[in-house]
Amino acid sequence: MKKIPQIAYYLAAAALIGGYIYFFERGPAKTDSDKDKKTKIFEDYVADDIKKIEVENLATTVNALKAPIVLEKDDKDAWQITAPHSFKADEDTVHTVLNAFSNFNPESTIEKPSNLADFGLNTPSARCSVTNKTGKNYVLLVGDKSITGASLYVKMPDKADVYMLPQFSVSNIIKDVNSYRDKSFFKIDDVLSNKVRIVREGKTTVFEKNKDGGWEITEPIKVKADAQKINALFNSINNLRISEYVDDHPSNLAIYGLSKAHASVEIGSADGKENHEILLGRKKMKSNVYYVKVGDQPNVYLIDGSIDKNLDVKINDFRDKSMMKFDSSQAKTLTVKHNNKSYVYQKDDKGQWSSEGRMKAQDEAVNIITVLSNTDIVDFASKKDSAGLSDPDYVVEVLLDSGMKKIYRFGSRQKGNVYLALDNTKEVYTAPAALLSQMDAYYSAIMTPVVIASPAAK
C-alpha cells in the first residue's frame, strides 16, 4: 500500500478548517440585496435613554470578581457605580459601553442552532444588561471565542439565533469595576486657589496670590511670578488621568514610597475650605508611572510620570519676565545713547515722532518702542557673568506720560541674546538681541551721526 505523504494530511486539515470557517462561522452566502442590510441585534435601542447598566463575569473563579457591576444615572444625569462598591463612574467609558450596544452589527448569524454548547452559550462567560427609562431591558449573553479568536459568540436570552461579534466590540463592555471608575485625578480651582507649596527632594517652592490677585514667588525668593506658568502648572495637574487603581485600603504606604513622599503639592484657598495635598511616591519599576495619593484619602493610584517633571520647579522658569514691557501709547520721549552720542525723539500731540536730522524718525521711534514694549526677557543671568554693563553698548530711555522713565542698558551679546539691566532693579537679564541689530542698522545705514544734547545733560 502506497504511503500517503504527510503534507496531504495538513492540506486536508486546512481545507476542513477553512470550510468550517466559511460555511459555519461566516454563515450562509448573502445576496447583493442582503449585503445592503445590516442586522441590528437591538433594533429599538437608544443609547441616551439608558439609565442602568449591569455587567456580570460568570466565568471567573475569583470571589471578589463574581459580584455584578452596576452603574446607574443619578438625578443629575451623571453615571455612578452603585455595586459592588460606590464610586464615581468614568463618563467616557460609560458612553463607550452604550455606543457598543448601539453598534452591535453581527459578522454572521447562526440561525437556531440545536446545541448552544457548541458556542459556549449553554453556560455563558458573561452577561450584560442595560435598562432604559421605560424599564425595558436589553440583555446580551457572551459565549466562546470563534475558532479564529477574532470574534465571540453572543445571543439574547429571548431569541434562538446566535451571532458572531468582533471581540473588540464585546471587550468594550466586559470590564472589571476599576475600568469603569472615573479616571480624573485632581482638579484645582485656579480662581479660589491662593497658595501653592511644592516640596521635591527637600527643595521647597511657594507661590502665593497678593492682595491684588497677582501671583508671587514667596519661597525661596520673593519676586513677581509668571501667572501663565502657574496656570500651566495647574492645567498639567488637572489634565492628569489615573492609569490604574492600585489599592483602596493600603495597609503599608511604605511599599509605594508614600510614607515619606518623594514630592508633594499643597494647594490652599483663601477661605480655607479648599485645601488639598497630593503626595507623590516612588516610580513603578520598569514603567513611567508613579504611585500617588491625595491627602487623607486612603486610595493609592498610578499616574503618568509627567507629574514628577512638572514638580521639579526651576525658579527662573516661574519668574515674571515682562519687566521690559510698558504701554507703548504712553511713550512721549525716546532717547538712544550709543558711542557717546545721543539721539532724541519727541512725540507730538498727533502721535507723530520727530528727531533733529532723522528723516525716518517716525519709523525708527515706533519700531524701537514697539519692540521694547512687547519683549519678554529670556532669562535671569548671574551677576558674575561678563555682561559688559559697566560700559553698555546702548542705553535706551523711554519717558512715559505719567512721568515714569524706563531705562534699558544693553551690554555684551552672546548666542543671539544680549545682557540687559534695568535702572529700577539690580538684576541682570538676557534679552533677544534682535532689537540691537535693528538699532545697529539704524545707526550705520540710516542714521547720520548727528549729536543732540540729551535733556538730562542740559
Side-chain angles (χ1 to χ4, degrees):
M1 181 177 177
K2 189 174 180 181
K3 187 175 181 181
I4 299 174
Q6 191 174 22
I7 186 65
Y9 291 110
Y10 292 146
L11 291 172
L16 288 171
I17 293 172
Y20 176 89
I21 293 171
Y22 185 86
F23 291 106
F24 191 53
E25 294 197 346
R26 181 177 178 273
K30 296 178 174 61
T31 66
D32 290 340
S33 59
D34 290 335
K35 291 176 182 177
D36 294 331
K37 299 176 182 177
K38 286 188 176 181
T39 302
K40 299 285 287 185
I41 294 182
F42 302 115
E43 288 291 345
D44 59 347
Y45 172 87
V46 178
D48 289 342
D49 290 344
I50 301 303
K51 305 288 287 185
K52 182 178 180 180
I53 303 170
E54 186 170 338
V55 180
E56 294 179 81
N57 185 344
L58 303 174
T60 184
T61 58
V62 180
N63 289 332
L65 300 179
K66 288 182 178 180
I69 301 168
V70 181
L71 300 95
E72 298 180 80
K73 265 188 181 179
D74 62 19
D75 55 4
K76 296 180 180 179
D77 275 349
W79 283 95
Q80 307 290 335
I81 300 172
T82 57
H85 304 286
S86 296
F87 300 114
K88 183 180 178 182
D90 187 84
E91 294 288 333
D92 289 341
T93 301
V94 173
H95 291 154
T96 298
V97 171
L98 297 178
N99 289 333
F101 263 78
S102 180
N103 296 326
F104 279 157
N105 296 312
E107 295 173 333
S108 65
T109 302
I110 298 94
E111 296 180 355
K112 300 179 181 179
S114 59
N115 189 0
L116 291 177
D118 292 339
F119 311 97
L121 287 164
N122 58 327
T123 55
S125 61
R127 179 183 184 275
C128 184
S129 68
V130 296
T131 307
N132 69 12
K133 57 187 179 183
T134 66
K136 181 174 180 177
N137 290 324
Y138 303 87
V139 182
L140 190 75
L141 301 175
V142 181
D144 291 340
K145 291 181 181 179
S146 67
I147 195 169
T148 64
S151 306
L152 284 166
Y153 296 112
V154 301
K155 74 178 297 290
M156 291 177 286
D158 57 346
K159 289 190 177 180
D161 292 343
V162 171
Y163 307 99
M164 281 180 62
L165 292 177
Q167 186 178 357
F168 71 85
S169 67
V170 180
S171 65
N172 280 334
I173 62 172
I174 308 301
K175 304 175 183 286
D176 59 62
V177 67
N178 284 341
S179 297
Y180 285 103
R181 291 173 67 173
D182 180 36
K183 304 300 188 301
S184 57
F185 171 60
F186 195 87
K187 293 298 177 187
I188 299 174
D189 189 323
D190 57 356
V191 175
L192 292 178
S193 299
N194 72 340
K195 184 176 182 178
V196 181
R197 183 175 186 268
I198 299 172
V199 179
R200 185 181 181 275
E201 296 182 347
K203 182 177 68 175
T204 301
T205 306
V206 180
F207 305 101
E208 293 186 71
K209 278 184 181 176
N210 57 31
K211 62 181 181 180
D212 298 320
W215 283 100
E216 296 179 344
I217 301 171
T218 57
E219 192 177 342
I221 57 175
K222 187 172 178 61
V223 291
K224 185 179 178 181
D226 185 335
Q228 289 186 341
K229 287 287 187 179
I230 303 291
N231 289 333
L233 175 65
F234 285 175
N235 288 336
S236 71
I237 294 174
N238 286 341
N239 290 333
L240 286 170
R241 301 280 288 171
I242 294 171
S243 300
E244 182 182 333
Y245 288 86
V246 178
D247 196 339
D248 289 321
H249 302 284
S251 58
N252 184 6
L253 290 175
I255 63 176
Y256 306 115
L258 288 165
S259 57
K260 187 177 180 181
H262 161 66
S264 66
V265 189
E266 295 178 37
I267 297 103
S269 63
D271 58 10
K273 295 179 180 179
E274 294 293 328
N275 295 335
H276 302 286
E277 182 181 28
I278 301 171
L279 299 177
L280 182 67
R282 68 174 178 84
K283 187 177 183 180
K284 185 179 179 181
M285 293 181 64
K286 298 180 180 180
S287 72
N288 189 39
V289 291
Y290 281 78
Y291 294 102
V292 297
K293 69 185 295 289
V294 177
D296 295 332
Q297 297 178 19
N299 317 73
V300 174
Y301 317 111
L302 282 172
I303 60 171
D304 186 77
S306 61
I307 187 174
D308 185 54
K309 181 180 179 181
N310 292 332
L311 297 183
D312 186 11
V313 173
K314 306 293 190 297
I315 285 296
N316 284 350
D317 290 345
F318 283 83
R319 293 181 64 177
D320 175 59
K321 296 180 175 65
S322 66
M323 59 281 296
M324 289 181 66
K325 294 183 175 181
F326 59 90
D327 184 350
S328 62
S329 68
Q330 300 299 307
K332 67 176 185 178
T333 303
L334 168 68
T335 304
V336 179
K337 299 177 181 179
H338 179 63
N339 286 343
N340 297 318
K341 299 177 179 69
S342 295
Y343 306 90
V344 181
Y345 302 78
Q346 299 282 350
K347 187 170 70 173
D348 62 22
D349 293 340
K350 296 180 180 179
Q352 295 298 304
W353 288 91
S354 63
S355 177
E356 187 175 344
R358 308 273 52 83
M359 294 181 63
K360 295 188 177 181
Q362 173 70 13
D363 291 340
E364 294 165 5
V366 168
N367 286 343
I368 292 172
I369 285 174
T370 299
V371 173
L372 277 176
S373 64
N374 288 287
T375 299
D376 281 324
I377 68 163
V378 174
D379 206 350
F380 299 84
S382 169
K383 294 177 182 179
K384 297 179 181 179
D385 287 337
S386 178
L389 291 166
S390 58
D391 183 19
D393 189 11
Y394 284 91
V395 178
V396 180
E397 301 176 3
V398 181
L399 181 64
L400 304 179
D401 288 338
S402 64
M404 179 182 178
K405 183 180 286 188
K406 303 278 288 186
I407 302 176
Y408 307 85
R409 301 180 185 276
F410 295 96
S412 304
R413 306 180 206 193
Q414 187 177 38
K415 296 180 180 179
N417 294 322
V418 59
Y419 289 105
L420 165 71
L422 306 178
D423 263 21
N424 61 344
T425 73
K426 296 180 180 179
E427 296 279 355
V428 177
Y429 315 105
T430 57
L435 174 60
L436 270 66
S437 299
Q438 184 69 71
M439 290 194 292
D440 287 342
Y442 290 154
Y443 183 78
S444 61
I446 300 174
M447 284 180 154
T448 302
V450 177
V451 179
I452 302 172
S454 170
K458 291 182 179 179

